[in-house]
Amino acid sequence: MAQVLCQLEITSNENLLVGLNTNDDAAVYKLNEEIAIVHTIDYFTPVVDDPYDFGQIAAANALSDVYAMGGTPLFALNVVCFPASYLDVLKEVLRGGNDKVKEAGAFIAGGHTIEDEEPKYGLSVTGIVNPRKVVKNSTAKPGDVLILTKPIGIGVINTAIKGEMCPPHVHSLAVDVMKYLNKDASQMMMEVGVNACTDITGFGLLGHAYEMASSSGVTIEFNKNAIPLIEGAKDLAEMGLIPGGCYRNKNYLKREVYLENVEDVLADLMFDPQTSGGLLISVEEEKADELYQKLNKKLKFGAFIVGCVRKKQDYDIYVK
Ligand code: CO
Ligand code: CO
């Protein structure tokens, strides 16, 4: 999608602080010296059977793009494509979205619905950020430490759920991970001050790290022994429950990522598309421990130091 958009003639505007050119998570438009709008939209087909869970997950995922940029969500609009015969189910989806947006301290102010045989739900979220403090994905610096705020493996687990091969406790854990807001993680990174951030979604850990590395003009090095996996994800990946998106990500990134003696199953999980994944934060080494301690103490699923940023080398990403 980004590739197609890049072929359009991009309109530039002096107040548009973040637009199409860096694959950032949201657009940022400066209103004045103190306030910029952070605006984003995200929606997708159901990833779980329970409509209330799905609503919460879709909302947490959409809000995440505002959090990744250091913004505070103000309000959101529902984006709904739904079959007319499933209004009871839709009610539960919307209740989930509404509750999650409320938890974020924002509210739903409207939306738009069209009839569609294949249900889809998401939100367009409007937030604010101080224009001098916008956190982009394109400003990681050599020497930075990389912190990830949720374990990975969601795509593999969702594939297992769809195939009815997921153990119930792994299923509920994955739903909890997806529903969990990146709100606290974002607030803490803003308190400490960081160089760059993105959230991990459909492009997988390696894909989003690649976007960060290439747009920042640096190389990212992951420590293969430090990659946090959701309990059960590795077993399911070993059973071959790999989503199509994982192969697409792998194929797209094959010339950008250098894997040094990395187990196949771990590589698959690092390419695995996530839904409502955590933040990948690039923070100066001197501040890294402080941020890590804070995050690890507060966040439900912990925080993980997964690698570091180096000067640009032959590959954008190394895993070793
Ligand atoms: Co994002
Ligand atoms: Co997004």
Side-chain angles (χ1 to χ4, degrees), residues 1-139:
M1 187 62 185
Q3 285 91 319
V4 178
L5 285 172
C6 286
Q7 287 161 16
L8 300 175
E9 199 180 311
I10 293 172
T11 312
S12 65
N13 179 296
E14 56 176 347
N15 292 316
L16 188 66
L17 304 182
V18 177
L20 277 173
N21 25 22
T22 57
N23 292 320
D24 239 308
D25 294 300
V28 180
Y29 184 92
K30 184 170 108 175
L31 291 180
N32 58 43
E33 293 311 311
E34 275 75 50
I35 299 178
I37 296 174
V38 190
H39 203 155
T40 184
I41 179 165
D42 228 318
Y43 63 105
F44 44 66
T45 54
V47 285
V48 289
D49 283 339
D50 184 294
Y52 181 66
D53 281 341
F54 172 53
Q56 291 184 75
I57 292 166
N61 181 72
L63 288 157
S64 177
D65 281 331
V66 172
Y67 289 133
M69 308 210 65
T72 305
L74 292 182
F75 64 92
L77 303 177
N78 283 322
V79 180
V80 182
C81 310
F82 233 80
S85 45
Y86 286 91
L87 290 183
D88 287 350
V89 178
L90 175 58
K91 224 166 106 187
E92 281 301 285
V93 172
L94 296 180
R95 189 169 69 87
N98 194 54
D99 285 356
K100 191 49 72 173
V101 169
K102 244 201 264 173
E103 184 188 327
F107 59 91
I108 289 181
H112 185 72
T113 307
I114 60 167
E115 226 183 288
D116 190 343
E117 279 314 305
E118 194 184 17
K120 300 168 195 81
Y121 173 64
L123 304 104
S124 174
V125 184
T126 303
I128 48 170
V129 66
N130 181 324
R132 286 180 302 271
K133 294 185 179 160
V134 184
V135 183
K136 302 180 196 177
N137 71 355
S138 55
T139 42

Side-chain angles (χ1 to χ4, degrees), residues 30-311:
K30 184 170 108 175
L31 291 180
N32 58 43
E33 293 311 311
E34 275 75 50
I35 299 178
I37 296 174
V38 190
H39 203 155
T40 184
I41 179 165
D42 228 318
Y43 63 105
F44 44 66
T45 54
V47 285
V48 289
D49 283 339
D50 184 294
Y52 181 66
D53 281 341
F54 172 53
Q56 291 184 75
I57 292 166
N61 181 72
L63 288 157
S64 177
D65 281 331
V66 172
Y67 289 133
M69 308 210 65
T72 305
L74 292 182
F75 64 92
L77 303 177
N78 283 322
V79 180
V80 182
C81 310
F82 233 80
S85 45
Y86 286 91
L87 290 183
D88 287 350
V89 178
L90 175 58
K91 224 166 106 187
E92 281 301 285
V93 172
L94 296 180
R95 189 169 69 87
N98 194 54
D99 285 356
K100 191 49 72 173
V101 169
K102 244 201 264 173
E103 184 188 327
F107 59 91
I108 289 181
H112 185 72
T113 307
I114 60 167
E115 226 183 288
D116 190 343
E117 279 314 305
E118 194 184 17
K120 300 168 195 81
Y121 173 64
L123 304 104
S124 174
V125 184
T126 303
I128 48 170
V129 66
N130 181 324
R132 286 180 302 271
K133 294 185 179 160
V134 184
V135 183
K136 302 180 196 177
N137 71 355
S138 55
T139 42
K141 299 205 168 54
D144 282 0
V145 170
L146 289 172
I147 301 178
L148 180 65
T149 69
K150 285 186 188 181
I152 60 172
I154 291 289
V156 164
I157 295 171
N158 283 342
T159 304
I161 292 172
K162 284 194 181 119
E164 290 172 3
M165 291 174 80
C166 187
H169 74 282
V170 175
H171 184 155
S172 65
L173 177 60
V175 169
D176 284 350
V177 171
M178 289 187 278
K179 283 198 291 204
Y180 189 61
L181 285 175
N182 285 326
K183 181 183 183 185
D184 290 335
S186 176
Q187 271 168 5
M188 287 176 182
M189 85 169 176
M190 294 309 278
E191 279 164 29
V192 172
V194 305
N195 284 338
C197 178
T198 188
D199 63 341
I200 307 303
T201 52
F203 212 12
L205 177 60
L206 291 175
H208 290 282
Y210 163 69
E211 287 183 335
M212 183 183 274
S214 63
S215 62
S216 302
V218 298
T219 281
I220 283 177
E221 193 179 301
F222 283 104
N223 173 358
K224 66 183 176 192
N225 300 313
I227 307 302
L229 306 178
I230 300 171
E231 191 200 319
K234 198 173 177 190
D235 294 337
L236 295 169
E238 270 163 0
M239 289 164 67
L241 294 160
I242 310 291
C246 174
Y247 296 111
R248 280 193 293 278
N249 290 342
K250 204 186 224 177
N251 190 45
Y252 182 73
L253 294 163
K254 62 186 173 215
R255 275 181 285 275
E256 329 293 347
V257 176
Y258 187 87
L259 302 164
E260 196 179 292
N261 299 322
V262 179
E263 231 185 315
D264 285 347
V265 63
L266 177 62
D268 285 345
L269 287 160
M270 293 181 79
F271 285 113
D272 182 44
Q274 305 298 287
T275 301
S276 189
L279 300 183
L280 180 68
I281 302 171
S282 187
V283 58
E284 224 172 276
E285 196 183 1
E286 293 70 46
K287 296 179 179 172
D289 194 54
E290 182 196 352
L291 180 60
Y292 168 74
Q293 299 294 348
K294 273 183 170 220
L295 291 169
N296 198 39
K297 211 155 125 196
K298 175 89 184 182
L299 301 184
K300 188 169 178 186
F301 303 99
F304 313 89
I305 294 178
V306 290
C308 61
V309 180
R310 300 212 185 279
K311 268 196 266 174

